[in-house]
Structures are given as structure tokens and as C-alpha cells.
Amino acid sequence: MLEDMKGGLFDLDGVIVDTAKYHYLAWRRLANEIGIDFSEHDNERLKGVSRVRSLEIILEMANKEKAYSEAEKTEMMDRKNAWYVDYISKMDESEILPGAREYLTEIRSRGVKTALGSASKNSPMILDKLKITDLFDAIVDGNVVSKPKPDPEVFLKGAEALGLAPKDCVVFEDAQAGIEAGRRGGMHTVGIGPPDVLTDADICVKGLYELL
Ligand code: G6P
Ligand code: MG
């Protein structure tokens, strides 16, 4: 499957860079400000999930999903994002996950096309900070996608942007919702993380470094 791959579709958070810790710190700060406890364990449920859905999950955990107006929820998401952007603006190349840059470079050198497939609206800034924008032929992110994973939209748009059929593409994902999106889109899937969590992935590795 990896030898026949013509296109690689890469999630960002948890695959290329470990931004989950910054999402967690920012969501926890927001949750605490509105009187909700939020643990690292709770944060697992937010991985790969859109910003809107993340807030809903936090409010549901405290049975507060009906306590706020749409305007208040928008303000809360903006508040969280400002803290998150503050964290990621301080990131540098040392925060690229092991093997990510090397693997992208290696597959590109043998003619494989690469696309980013992320729900994050902050993707362009993160790629810029890490100086890896040039490693992608196409960028599909939260700014151009309307249906969150597990809907396959993000990866279908990625394959289309690369001019490839889904079956010739491999999705690299750390979230179960992302693996499901890849499967529903007709792509092969590589899970980055424990096989007992990413049960539907074709294969699982601990990080892209294992594929070098
Ligand atoms: C990725 C992350 C999620 C995050 C989402 C939206 O999928 O895994 O945890 O909620 O992007 O990110 P954003 O930067 O737009 O808030
Ligand atoms: Mg992810």
C-alpha cells in the first residue's frame, strides 16, 4: 500500500506537530473560566474535532450545552483561539514530530504528491512557523472545508487537488474520526498512535519516523 501510494494526505495536529498540548491548555483555561473542570483525559475527545464541536463537547460534559447563546459561544471560541494562537506563535521547527519532515521529503523525492488535510483554521500559520509549507502540493484546511471529519470532504478535496483517485492516496491520521474519514473517502489509512484506539486503520505506527 505505501509502495503503490501516489498521494499522501496528512493530518496536521498529532501527525506533523504536537499542537494537542496547546489546544488542551487553551480549552482548559476557557473551561476553568466558566467553572468547568477539564482534564487531559477529557481532552482526548477533542482530537481531530472542529472548534465548534470541541466547545459543544466541553459544555455537554458539564450539562451546560443550553446555558449560552450563540453569540456567547462565538465569544468563547474566539477567547480560546486567541490563547491558542499566542501559544503557536511561539512555536519553532523543534516542535515538528520525529520523522515528519524526513518522511514528507522522502516520499516527495520519489514522486509522491502530498496534501495537508486538517480541520484547523490555524494550519497556514503553523506550517509557516515550522517552515514546512513547501512540503505540500496542496493545503486543505478548516478554512475551506465545511463538513468536519469523519465526513470525508477534507480528504476528497485533497485527492482532487492532487489530481488523484482516492484509491491511490493514503491518509495519515492520529484521530479515529480522521481514519473513518479516510475510509469513507475510499483511501488507504495509516494510524499514528495505538492500534487499540485506531482500530479501523489499515496499519498503525507510533510516528512517521517508523516509516523511514
Ligand atoms: C484539528 C485538531 C482539533 C482542533 C481542530 C480545529 O483537527 O486536532 O483539536 O479542534 O483542528 O482547530 P482550530 O485551530 O481551527 O481551532
Ligand atoms: Mg490530528
Side-chain angles (χ1 to χ4, degrees), residues 1 4 19 32 39 53 55 68 70 72-73 90 97 101-102 117 133 151 158 165-166 173 184-185 197 201 209 211:
M1 151 186 135
D4 296 336
T19 40
N32 292 350
S39 69
R53 184 68 196 125
L55 178 61
Y68 299 97
E70 286 309 310
E72 284 168 328
K73 287 193 224 171
K90 294 176 189 124
L97 286 169
R101 184 204 296 278
E102 294 78 5
T133 309
D151 190 282
E173 257 291 350
R184 280 167 58 180
V197 176
Y209 62 89
L211 300 174

Side-chain angles (χ1 to χ4, degrees), residues 3-205:
E3 274 122 62
D4 296 336
M5 151 171 83
K6 292 186 184 156
L9 309 175
F10 292 82
D11 176 46
L12 179 65
D13 299 288
V15 172
I16 312 262
V17 62
D18 182 18
T19 40
K21 59 182 182 236
Y22 300 129
H23 278 299
Y24 169 59
L25 291 173
W27 280 125
R28 187 181 65 183
R29 185 166 168 189
L30 178 82
N32 292 350
E33 281 196 3
I34 57 174
I36 299 176
D37 282 334
F38 184 61
S39 69
E40 215 157 351
H41 175 74
D42 299 329
N43 188 56
E44 284 301 307
R45 292 183 55 197
L46 305 193
K47 286 189 178 169
V49 165
S50 72
R51 197 180 303 173
V52 175
R53 184 68 196 125
S54 297
L55 178 61
E56 281 172 6
I57 291 172
I58 291 171
L59 295 177
E60 280 167 19
M61 281 176 358
N63 290 320
K64 286 190 172 179
E65 65 268 35
K66 302 227 164 60
Y68 299 97
S69 67
E70 286 309 310
E72 284 168 328
K73 287 193 224 171
T74 301
E75 184 281 319
M76 285 190 254
M77 286 189 284
D78 290 348
R79 215 188 315 166
K80 179 268 173 179
N81 193 56
W83 293 321
Y84 179 68
V85 167
D86 195 44
Y87 287 124
I88 60 176
S89 66
K90 294 176 189 124
M91 264 179 6
D92 64 27
E93 290 163 76
S94 67
E95 294 184 63
I96 300 177
L97 286 169
R101 184 204 296 278
E102 294 78 5
Y103 186 64
L104 282 158
T105 306
E106 182 192 301
I107 61 173
R108 286 170 66 82
S109 75
R110 51 181 168 95
V112 175
K113 299 260 182 247
T114 53
L116 191 80
S118 166
S120 174
K121 294 186 170 156
N122 293 300
S123 298
M125 179 184 175
I126 296 170
L127 296 181
D128 185 51
K129 280 269 148 207
L130 303 180
K131 298 194 176 68
I132 53 170
T133 309
D134 293 349
L135 291 177
F136 296 95
D137 298 294
I139 309 249
V140 182
D141 64 22
N143 299 294
V144 294
V145 164
S146 55
K147 296 178 216 138
K149 299 168 189 175
D151 190 282
E153 182 189 14
V154 62
F155 295 129
L156 288 172
K157 281 196 166 154
E160 192 187 339
L162 299 180
L164 294 170
K167 68 171 176 46
D168 292 324
C169 295
V170 179
V171 164
F172 298 83
E173 257 291 350
D174 71 316
Q176 182 54 33
I179 296 290
E180 191 183 329
R183 287 179 71 86
R184 280 167 58 180
M187 295 102 189
H188 304 279
T189 55
V190 174
I192 311 288
D196 55 329
V197 176
L198 304 171
T199 44
D200 292 334
D202 293 322
I203 59 165
C204 273
V205 292

